[in-house]
């Protein structure tokens, strides 16, 4: 799985939004911005805009929900990876996945 | 005739004597059955108490520091800046609650219903704090209202833990 090709998918939100929360919002974001572009044969890096300062664990669970139900949790994490240039956001995402799972 | 009467009398005495001893034996048997049932019930009760005591040990070990120091300390820092934006110190509440959830994974296996309820409450509070941090609330009264509502949510989390500790 380490030799999977990568593709980047950039998320976009309204300018006033600086934080992401809600399981439903996560799922809607996946459907609207990720689902149509995702390639399960590749590693899909989902870029969170730099303006986003915080991400709720519920959002993380929501954005992974459909993939997780379809392919299982382990495979979902292999197929899709959330990424932010902000280290504190990355740390929060990783911690949320560790504590609550997807 | 005398023989018949004698036999009748003798057998009548014998019959009543058999009844008394048999009744005593029956009574003793019933008592011993009751005694066995009580012992069995006491064993079940003891087993339940042992489980409760074991969980009480884990409750104290896991949650004590969060109740006494970590949660109150994080909650105290909640405030708004001069522009009406929730200060980033709110993240400490979320961080503390996530750490607490990580610590209480034992209950995921031992008391799933309690774990799920606690997780739901913590995530709902996390959502509330993060969604509010997107807004600007200039009205001081509304700011106080919000802080009070967060404190209520924290109290509900503590109550949820206490209720399960005392097994309500």
């Amino acid at each position: 799985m380490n030799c999977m090709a990568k593709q980047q998918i950039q998320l976009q939100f309204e300018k006033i939004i600086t934080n992401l929360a809600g399981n439903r919002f996560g799922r809607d974001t996946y459907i609207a911005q990720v689902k149509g572009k995702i390639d399960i044969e590749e590693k899909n890096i989902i870029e969170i805009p730099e303006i986003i300062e915080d991400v709720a664990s519920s959002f993380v669970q929501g954005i992974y929900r459909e993939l997780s139900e379809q392919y299982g949790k382990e495979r979902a994490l292999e197929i899709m990876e959330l990424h932010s240039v902000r280290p504190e956001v990355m740390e929060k995402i990783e911690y949320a996945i560790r504590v609550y799972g997807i | 005739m005398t023989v018949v009467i004698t036999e009748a009398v003798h057998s009548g005495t014998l019959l009543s004597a058999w009844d008394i001893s048999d009744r005593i034996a029956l009574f003793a048997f019933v008592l011993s059955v009751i005694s066995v049932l009580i012992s069995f019930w006491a064993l079940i009760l003891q087993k339940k108490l042992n489980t409760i005591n074991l969980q009480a040990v884990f409750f104290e070990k896991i949650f004590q520091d969060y109740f006494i120091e970590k949660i109150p300390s994080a909650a105290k820092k909640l405030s708004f800046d001069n522009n009406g934006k929730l200060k980033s110190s709110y993240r400490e509440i979320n961080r503390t609650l996530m750490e607490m959830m990580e610590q209480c994974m034992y209950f995921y296996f031992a008391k799933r219903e309690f774990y799920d309820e606690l997780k739901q409450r913590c995530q709902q509070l996390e959502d509330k704090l993060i969604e509010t941090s997107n807004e600007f609330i200039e009205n001081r009264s509304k700011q106080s209202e919000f802080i009070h509502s967060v404190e209520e949510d924290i109290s509900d989390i503590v109550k949820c833990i206490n209720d399960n500790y005392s097994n309500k």
Side-chain angles (χ1 to χ4, degrees):
Chain A
M1 290 304 161
N2 286 333
C3 58
M4 282 168 85
K6 292 183 183 182
Q7 78 151 334
Q8 276 192 337
I9 300 171
Q10 181 71 44
L11 293 183
Q12 290 176 330
F13 302 100
E14 289 176 29
K15 283 182 183 161
I16 54 165
I17 292 177
T18 56
N19 299 303
L20 305 174
N23 191 294
R24 167 58 73 184
F25 186 42
R27 286 159 69 184
D28 289 346
T29 301
Y30 175 80
I31 291 166
Q33 301 192 45
V34 178
K35 190 173 178 178
K37 299 174 187 172
I38 208 160
D39 184 343
I40 61 158
E41 299 304 321
E42 293 186 352
K43 181 86 167 177
N44 300 266
I45 310 293
I46 312 303
E47 287 291 341
I48 294 169
E50 191 177 350
I51 197 171
I52 300 298
E53 299 169 350
D54 197 0
V55 177
S57 58
S58 58
F59 180 88
V60 174
Q61 288 183 317
I63 202 168
Y64 271 103
R65 169 94 175 244
E66 203 169 301
L67 260 185
S68 174
E69 282 175 354
Q70 208 172 349
Y71 298 103
K73 292 170 186 181
E74 294 286 328
R75 186 81 179 100
L77 288 168
E78 285 170 1
I79 293 169
M80 187 171 81
E81 185 182 301
L82 297 176
H83 183 262
S84 168
V85 294
R86 290 178 180 257
E88 68 273 21
V89 172
M90 282 306 299
E91 199 220 327
K92 177 75 184 288
I93 291 167
E94 285 160 8
Y95 195 43
I97 292 172
R98 195 162 85 237
V99 174
Y100 292 126
I102 56 164
Chain B
M1 184 72 166
T2 312
V3 171
V4 171
I5 293 169
T6 308
E7 273 185 12
V9 168
H10 189 58
S11 66
T13 309
L14 268 176
L15 195 62
S16 59
W18 181 84
D19 274 350
I20 290 167
S21 67
D22 196 53
R23 281 175 200 167
I24 292 171
L26 184 64
F27 183 66
F29 175 72
V30 168
L31 271 182
S32 65
V33 167
I34 291 171
S35 170
V36 165
L37 287 173
I38 290 172
S39 300
F40 191 61
W41 176 78
L43 202 66
I44 293 171
L45 192 64
Q46 187 59 49
K47 193 165 180 264
K48 267 191 178 171
L49 283 172
N50 286 346
T51 306
I52 289 169
N53 285 340
L54 178 66
Q55 288 196 351
V57 168
F58 283 121
F59 266 104
E60 283 170 24
K61 196 176 165 62
I62 292 166
F63 295 112
Q64 189 174 22
D65 283 348
Y66 289 98
F67 282 0
I68 292 170
E69 199 259 319
K70 292 176 182 177
I71 290 175
S73 170
K76 259 194 311 194
K77 294 175 186 170
L78 195 63
S79 63
F80 288 83
D81 65 20
N82 292 331
N83 296 323
K85 197 150 165 61
L86 193 61
K87 285 184 183 172
S88 62
S89 52
Y90 78 82
R91 291 177 199 165
E92 193 170 326
I93 297 175
N94 287 336
R95 177 87 195 182
T96 303
L97 292 176
M98 275 178 71
E99 280 174 7
M100 186 181 78
M101 289 309 300
E102 188 179 22
Q103 294 289 314
C104 71
M105 274 301 285
Y106 160 78
F107 293 105
Y108 177 84
F109 300 102
K111 214 171 180 184
R112 179 66 71 90
E113 211 177 288
F114 161 63
Y115 178 88
D116 286 345
E117 188 189 343
L118 191 59
K119 177 188 163 187
Q120 190 180 27
R121 287 180 185 276
C122 289
Q123 284 191 302
Q124 278 171 350
L125 178 54
E126 183 190 17
D127 284 349
K128 183 183 202 164
L129 285 163
I130 291 178
E131 282 163 2
T132 302
S133 70
N134 272 328
E135 302 168 12
F136 288 90
I137 303 176
E138 290 173 2
N139 185 305
R140 294 268 186 214
S141 170
K142 289 206 182 299
Q143 288 178 7
S144 298
E145 224 174 88
F146 174 78
I147 290 174
H148 180 71
S149 78
V150 169
E151 288 169 352
E152 290 279 308
D153 290 341
I154 293 173
S155 295
D156 288 344
I157 287 170
V158 171
K159 187 175 181 302
C160 168
I161 295 168
N162 277 336
D163 284 350
N164 278 273
Y165 172 68
S166 55
N167 224 36
K168 285 185 190 166

